Amino acid sequence: MIVARDFQLTAGTRFPVHRHATHQLTWAAKGVVSVTAPGGVWVLPATRALWIPAGTPHALEGGPAVARAVYVDRAPRGFHTPTVVVVTPLLRELAAHLATFPPLPAAASASALDAAFAGPVRSSAAARRRAEAVLLDLLQPAGVATIDVPMPADPRALLVAEAVAARPSDGRDLDGWARHAGASARTLARLFTDGTGMSFGRWRTNVRLRAALSLLATGTPVAVVARRVGYRSPSAFIAAFRQAFGVSPGAYFSL
């Protein structure tokens, strides 16, 4: 059985790490949401969804947006890890149709969502079963990269990480951030490598690209996005984006 639900998210809404007993397909029917799960952070507009296997710990944030969650009791072959799929118009309409079935209470928890499979759900017709089968057939991996932005545990590095995440356009170099943290540049560099598994420069690039994805998903022009996330020119931003994702910013959400 497949149960679809829509959730209205106000600005800054965050569902902390949780897991479901059933598989989940989620995306933003309106606006943009991001999901953090093992393997990275995925920014999801209306054209991209993330398949989250049952039992996978994940967190969701976004808003203002409408998050669409489709809970599935069986997985297509090969969908063993979080996987991005393209939301085609047909997939979107099928999920919208399934979402018209009786909703859960507004304050439903993750366990309550899972319980929908054991509770009364309007199900009579073979038409519903056909719709569910077609929806599963439409799940095709999009084959896109993701962004990983782990946070360091050391208080000095964490202070810098939180400041960079809050303002990706801040152009201070490692020396400048080291002064901000009360550490030497060498120490700060080591703390980032030890705490995140990547250099400070690589980590900051990932922060900027993650922020860029959210802006691009809302239709913000590339030149504006480049400036807002700290690149001096659109060409430099496009080069970094292409290196990370294999496509240009303009092509990313049209795949």
Side-chain angles (χ1 to χ4, degrees):
M1 183 169 61
I2 294 177
V3 176
R5 298 289 179 257
D6 285 350
F7 299 91
Q8 297 282 343
L9 306 182
T10 57
T13 297
R14 176 175 172 80
F15 294 101
V17 175
H18 61 283
R19 62 187 76 204
H20 301 286
T22 55
H23 309 293
Q24 180 183 3
L25 183 71
T26 190
W27 71 95
K30 294 182 180 178
V32 180
V33 298
S34 67
V35 175
T36 302
V41 178
W42 290 263
V43 177
L44 307 170
T47 56
R48 296 289 178 88
L50 184 67
W51 174 267
I52 306 171
T56 301
H58 61 282
L60 182 146
E61 60 184 302
V66 175
R68 178 157 293 163
V70 181
Y71 299 91
V72 186
D73 61 352
R74 58 198 182 278
R77 182 175 299 175
F79 280 64
H80 305 303
T81 59
T83 303
V84 177
V85 302
V86 176
V87 180
T88 64
L90 179 55
L91 175 59
R92 187 179 303 117
E93 291 304 317
L94 283 170
H97 169 67
L98 292 170
T100 64
F101 284 67
L104 294 169
S109 65
S111 59
L113 290 169
D114 296 329
F117 288 92
V121 177
R122 192 182 85 196
S123 66
S124 48
R128 177 184 178 93
R129 293 193 295 273
R130 290 195 298 270
E132 292 177 350
V134 173
L135 186 146
L136 289 173
D137 286 342
L138 292 173
L139 301 184
Q140 299 296 327
V144 298
T146 185
I147 285 291
D148 191 19
V149 188
M151 298 296 277
D154 182 272
R156 293 162 293 179
L158 182 60
L159 177 68
V160 172
E162 290 176 340
V164 173
R167 191 183 175 194
S169 61
D170 193 313
R172 273 180 280 186
D173 59 14
L174 188 61
D175 287 331
W177 284 116
R179 288 191 293 273
H180 177 74
S184 69
R186 171 180 265 183
T187 296
L188 184 61
R190 177 180 55 78
L191 292 173
F192 264 89
T193 301
D194 292 345
T196 70
M198 62 187 80
S199 69
F200 171 75
R202 178 71 259 175
W203 185 89
R204 179 165 63 179
T205 294
N206 283 7
V207 168
R208 288 175 168 178
L209 292 176
R210 182 180 65 178
L213 285 173
S214 296
L215 292 170
L216 291 167
T218 61
T220 306
V222 170
V224 175
V225 173
R227 184 174 65 252
R228 288 186 182 178
V229 300
Y231 286 89
R232 295 183 178 180
S233 69
S235 60
F237 166 65
I238 292 170
F241 192 98
R242 188 184 294 277
Q243 182 177 15
F245 297 108
V247 296
S248 68
Y252 182 85
F253 288 114
S254 63
L255 291 177

